[in-house]
Amino acid sequence: MWLLKYSKRLPLIQLLLLQLLCLNPTVAKKDKPDISSHKLDNPPSNFFYFDDSNTILLHDREAGVVHRSEDAGKTWDKVDVDAGKAWDLWRHPYDNQKAYIMGKASTHWHSNDQGKTWQDFEIPRARPSLVRTPLSFHAKDSDKVLIHGEVCRIGGILDCTQTTFYTNDGFKEIGMLRKNTRGCVFAHATPEFDTGDGEKADDRVVCVTTGRTSNDPREHRLAVSDNYFEDEHEPALEGDRTVQGVVSIAVVKGYLVAAVRAPNTDELAMYVTDDASEWHRAVFPADSRLKEDAYTILESTSYSIQVDVLTVDPPTPMGVLFTSNSNGTYFTKNIQHTNRNTHGIVDFEKVQGIQGIVMVNIVDNFEEVERSFGQEEKRLRSQISFDDGRTFQELTADGKALHLHSVTEMKNIGRVFSSPAPGVVMGVGNTGKYLKGYEEGDLYVSDDAGLTWTMALEEAHKYEFGDQGSILLAIYDEGPTDVVQYSLNHGKKWHKVDLPEGKIRAKALTTTTDSTSMKFFLWGSKGGGSKTEHWVFSIDFEDMHEDKCKDKDFEKWPARVDKDGKPTCVMGRKQFYDRRKADADCFIREKKFEEVEPNFDTCKCTEDDFECDYNFVRSKDGKECVRDGPLPDPKGACKNGAKKYKASSGYRKIPGNGCKGGLDLEEEKERDCEDTLKPIVSGEINTERTAFPARSFRNYFYLERAESSSDSSKAGKDETVVMRTDKSEVYISRDHGKTWDQILKGEEIKDVYPHPHFSDVCFFVTTGKRVHYTINRGDTYGHFDAKIEPTRDDGLPALAFHADYKDWLIWTGAQDCDKGKGKCHNDALYSTDRGGSWEYLARYVRKCEFIKEEGRGDKQKLVYCEAFKDEKPDGPLQLQSSDNWFADHKTPFNDIVDFATMSEFIIVATRDETDSLKVDASVDGQTFADALFPSNFNVPVQKAYTVLDSHTHAVFMHVTVGNRHDAEYGSIIKSNSNGTSYVLSLDNVNRNKPGYVDFEKMLGLEGVALVNIVSNIEEAEKGSGKKLRTMITHNDGAEWSLLKAPQKDPEGKSYDCSTGECSLHLHGYTERRDPRATFSSPSAVGLMMAVGNVGEYLTEKSEKTSDTFITRDGGVEWQAVKKGNYMWEYGDQGSIIVIVRDTVSTDEIFYSLDEGQTWTPYKFSEKKVHVAILSTVPSDNSLNFLLWGQEDDSDSEIVTFNLDFSQIKERQEQCKLDENNPESPDSDYYLWEPKHPLSDSNCLFGHVAQYHRKLPDRNCYNGRSIQHLHNIAKNCECTRADFECDYNFEPAKDGSCKLVSGLEPPDHSKICKEDPEKMSYFKPTGYRRVPLSTCEGGNELEKYESKEVPCRGHEKDFEEAHRGLGGFWIFILAVVLPFGIASAVGYWVWRNWDGKFGRIRLGEQGSAFDADRPWIKYPVLAVSGVVAVVAAVPLLVGSLWRWASGLFGGGRRYTTRGSFARGRGDYAVVDEDELLGEDEDEEV
């Protein structure tokens, strides 16, 4: 009966059991995570989770496809875009629904639903940028995106314009933002950034753009727009001054940062804004410098920027960590000797989610490493800070010091140590004195944010955090493995789980970015070689048996504690988290995708909660805030005899700090009204005399600190001068000659070599193997020993330098000179660590040079050597080239005379089988073409060529026609843009015996040059003296004219011109004692000074016959200012001009404060002095000048006089400049427009250029260098001045261009062969446009009476297009464009690549400024060959180090003309006249 009843109840019991199972899910849960696998065709190039989801996108670049998984990697589908077209994959950083696929061409895709569906969009005529990240995002409106692209002509990368596009409606419409950009960002690029202007600035975009007329990186600038560049303005970065040389920008939390580089230095300035309106220079301690590629902006906070600055160069780089104040302008040092790698990555990480905790690795044996030049291995120690980097301490595990592998050795993706899981951190390392190798490390865990650590697993593992830290997952990382391990109690106990596909080598382990998910994603590979397989795994903990956590399973955990375990304050608050207890047997579960939010307790205010207020800085000991200059005068507070007023205490609470009560450092303080006054100035010129025990100066050099210096107290102010005497003693002055110190005492210094590309660096070569150097303008000195003694060949330099890498050197030394006659020869060695180690480069050479220069797309290691064939010193010289340190080499020329490098051009003089010489040219250093000389230029025996200048993208070359002693002269010819085709510019131009030419470009003003011509050629060749006349061009050599003579002499008397033609003639370069004494300065636009006379010819330079002249309008009108010969220098960008007697002893100088209109005498000495040189800094932007000379009553001493104008009353206020309203009533400047003297308009080179010029009557100083070119106001109609004679044409007497008798016009149809897509061309008219001209319409002489002809095969296209296409545009497409190809080839990398040039590093993976894209390839640069001609061409006579005799000893005293001349912008590079050809034989 019972059995019967039981059997009837059984179904009911089963039902109840089933119900119980359903009600208690843990009964059915698993005891280990679920793991699924999926095989990939290729390794993934990129993959990521969408925030707050289990959706993953994975990019396979090899196949050009994107895969998508909605379940954290369990199952996968290909997304619906064109197969094989997916080139790059991006996600929106602030919108978890949006992603982007970039194609190779103009078609791309975007998704608004986490990649489920995709819509295509196109960027017309453009492709994604190859040199910067293609997309920039708006943090507050995800529909707004900037797209960086390239618009390329001729279907390739040879001529591409970097262009930025934009969308503000989610790619429904795309517009062009701006051309010629070098990176753009929205001001609202991060959630923390706030412009403070509300909706007005919501669309604000900041771009780095090219200069107004140049692609030169030194002229790159910032441009800002609030309306997508319908209009734009350039922000003032330094006071009211705009700044050129901007190399990169980045938005970091609440800060926008710009890096700026000046010429001739690798030092950078950092400018910061927190509202994209007001900018400030970031101030670093005086002993710290920002250098290009040598600082990293690290993960920062909302109230400070953290930067690591390189202090020790590669191969063993180290740095110093700095933290800024709240507006990012003042930085203090945190910890020294931080570890970095050669890519600028720093061992630094903030513990995520917790304010104030920072982990770093430092180099313990930093002194040995620094001395060893990379030979000593770093010994690293790990440090942690719990107070935002103010103090650091060791990590400890079981009472022992713990050291962990950090960011420089990334073994996984994402962060290294921490995650949003509160306080739980992991790392691989070891205990002991120092960090050992990765494979010698174990896995360590801390659950108190790094305060204490325990070993979790033996051996190195990759690791990840899940479920807010309740799950820790790890996989073996020293080789293949078939298991993963997990811990559910903060690493105390671990469990193993088998992988389904056997052993794999783990590549990456990750999860959602907030670490709240219970699912993980693993990528690994198995096998090897062609059989390598790639697998991805989904590891899912959601079905495990643990319960959901309850309130009892959580603890209130203090994020930061002191040594006693008590909670500490950061930014005025104590931080707490409700965190799952380590031993709780539960998962948080329901908080998936919800990041843990901290709780805060308010602290009382302490000194740490305050920073220095504006106009105050930290004292040297860092203990208080002290005044930095005069305080602002409160309105009315100091009037009527008041002596005291209330003002800032010097402190302010850090913005965002939450402390209350306690210490109040902000309370206003009573101050003296005298504090508001500026220091009393003397009103006088100050003079400092220094005497030296020597008979003459051998040479002197300025090592001027750039205005981009990171130390604003010295930026542009550290006016260092180095001088060597005839006793081989060296002296240095850090204050422009006010005080001097002898350096390197006891050493005989044979030569001083300032680095031509880095003005901070200088080398001092002894007579032996020892070389001393400074890399910081004399702050410190080092030395190295070369393997062999310096070369004994006069005129050849022992050192050659690289344009980009200041530690790359070539040493040319003498070998076997003690083994008998004929054995002595030169060998070349190279070093990449500033002489720390040397390797042989080439033997039996005359010289070797690095070929890499700004403006040429050369390979970095490309070296040219002039080497004797078969190592026989009596054999011919070969030109050998190598780009791998001569592991192998090419020999492009077997018999050369010499080569010269000028800007983007390389000119080689070669000798052919008939012993005649010819010229070959290259713009890339690898491919050469014959130079085609004018057909009407017939010289029976060509003896020498002098390469003059090539800074307008054309070579000016002087060809010696007559070389009779004291009767040398020749013709100037001018090349096309690749240096291969020349036209005659001017005949009978004067030169001297050494080969230097009376030719000089005006600096700072395009296309103006002066020459002296020999007017009596026949008489001069018969032995009569030369009769010289001065001529000027205003259109880059297309036309020349005599200088207009002033009517009055310096005394107001009329010049006597009754004897003949009357014009002004000037003494030129061939008579110059100091090559630095140029007529003009780029910082004093429009001004030139010179010595000469008015008459028919140039007379002898003497006190009786010569006067000193000035022009203020670029050479159109001249004024005589002083009788006799004077030297001159420009100071403060021309607001001060100083002149001093040149040929007679004197005790006074004259100075002008109004551009030479009036002159004031000043007595500088009690004794008469023979002044040999008057100098100032190369930028001509100083208020100090230096006289070099010898007093009349002494022959055993030489003297210098420093003249300091900084105290004169007329130069106490800085001039006011409003770039956006330059001619406002308050401005101290006006806009000046240069003009051609034969034109009624202000058009030069087809446009009206407007330059900032200081009003001469304003009593103020210029200060920081002005961006002189304000604007190109308009393009003009074409006139004769915009054209020069075409090839095979010559100027006639009436100024027109006539075909040379018996010659054919050039064949313009060649452009159809060069570009098969070309539709038509114009037949030659005899004229070609001057390369600098931008004229439009008017008298377009290149088309005047010219017939437009269709290219063969394009007749129908031409007929159709001709109906609507204007002649101007056909010319542009058919003639100008092909001529521009050659120059575009040489410039592409230089113009567009943002790789090395001072980019901002952000210290995070996928930095928008890394641009190290794997598909970047440098183009192969080529120059089309033209017909070879027989032309006699030169030997380099004017080489770098020809004469080193003293100022009073005769001969040439300095290195190159270019070394000392003022450069472009701040330093105009006026190249040394490079003489090619020997000039020993007299011509009878």
Side-chain angles (χ1 to χ4, degrees), residues 66 144 209 290 365 405 437 606 619 649 682 693 785 901 1116 1264:
V66 172
K144 297 175 180 178
T209 72
L290 292 183
N365 60 331
H405 294 270
T606 67
S619 58
S649 65
S682 66
D785 290 321
T901 58
V1116 178
R1264 183 180 177 88

Side-chain angles (χ1 to χ4, degrees), residues 1020-1040:
E1021 289 186 333
K1022 294 177 181 178
S1024 299
K1026 296 178 185 177
K1027 292 183 179 180
L1028 304 182
R1029 308 180 80 185
T1030 300
M1031 303 191 77
I1032 191 170
T1033 178
H1034 292 271
N1035 55 3
D1036 211 34
E1039 296 176 295
W1040 297 86

Side-chain angles (χ1 to χ4, degrees), residues 111 192 309 395 399 456 569 656 683 728 776 928 1001 1068 1071 1097 1136 1147 1169 1211 1224-1226 1250 1298 1331 1373 1408 1430:
S111 173
E192 296 86 354
V309 178
L395 285 69
C569 300
S728 297
N776 45 30
F928 286 86
K1001 286 286 191 80
E1071 300 180 68
Y1097 307 108
I1136 300 175
D1147 58 3
V1169 180
R1211 292 296 180 266
S1224 67
D1226 294 333
Q1250 297 179 321
K1298 301 294 185 182
L1373 293 172
V1430 178

